[in-house]
Amino acid sequence: MGKKLPYTPNSQVRSALRKLFLRSRERAAAIRRDKYTCQACGVKQSRAKGKEVNVEVHHKEGILNWELLFEAVRFYLLCKPDDLITYCKECHEAKENNLSVKNGKRGDI
C-alpha cells in the first residue's frame, strides 16, 4: 500500500463532483425536458425486463477545464489545514452568522 497523500487527490474530487452532478436538479430537469428520450436516435428510457435502456446527460460543451474546477475546490473548500479551525456546532453556526460566542452566551460581533 502506498504512502497517504497530505491532500485529497484529484480523482476523489472528480468522483465527488460526478456524484453531485448525478443527483443534481439540473440533470434531472434536462432528462424531464427531453422526455427521457435520446436526442440523437430517439430511443426512450426503459426499465422493462430484457429491454433496459438508460439515458444519460451530456454537457454540450464538455467540462472545459477540470484543472480550474480542482483549483477552485482546493482554494475555497479543501484549503490548507492552517486556514481551517475547529468549532463546536453552536460556535460554528454563530461564526457563520457573524455572531460571537463567549462563555456559552451569544452576542453580536
Side-chain angles (χ1 to χ4, degrees):
M1 195 164 196
K3 185 178 176 184
K4 202 170 194 180
L5 295 171
Y7 57 87
T8 306
N10 284 350
S11 60
Q12 247 183 310
V13 174
R14 183 186 303 251
S15 177
L17 291 172
R18 178 172 165 69
K19 286 178 185 175
L20 171 67
F21 178 68
L22 289 174
R23 291 174 176 81
S24 71
R25 292 177 183 175
E26 293 80 2
R27 179 183 172 276
I31 291 173
R32 278 193 308 273
R33 177 200 64 213
D34 294 339
K35 297 179 174 59
Y36 299 85
T37 303
C38 173
Q39 298 302 291
C41 72
V43 70
K44 195 162 176 77
Q45 180 169 295
S46 171
R47 294 190 182 163
K49 192 171 183 177
K51 298 180 182 180
E52 293 91 352
V53 175
N54 287 316
V55 292
E56 299 179 355
V57 176
H58 178 73
H59 286 82
K60 289 180 181 179
E61 296 181 19
I63 306 295
L64 299 177
N65 195 336
W66 277 105
E67 290 307 315
L68 188 60
L69 276 172
F70 293 147
E71 188 178 311
V73 167
R74 290 196 189 289
F75 185 79
Y76 293 106
L77 184 64
L78 301 177
C79 52
K80 293 180 244 167
D82 292 346
D83 295 332
L84 301 171
I85 190 167
T86 305
Y87 288 130
C88 70
K89 183 176 181 175
E90 182 179 324
C91 291
H92 188 211
E93 288 175 1
K95 194 70 170 175
E96 290 288 319
N97 294 318
N98 291 320
L99 301 173
S100 65
V101 176
K102 293 184 183 175
N103 300 328
K105 293 184 176 183
R106 291 187 184 191
D108 292 332
I109 292 182

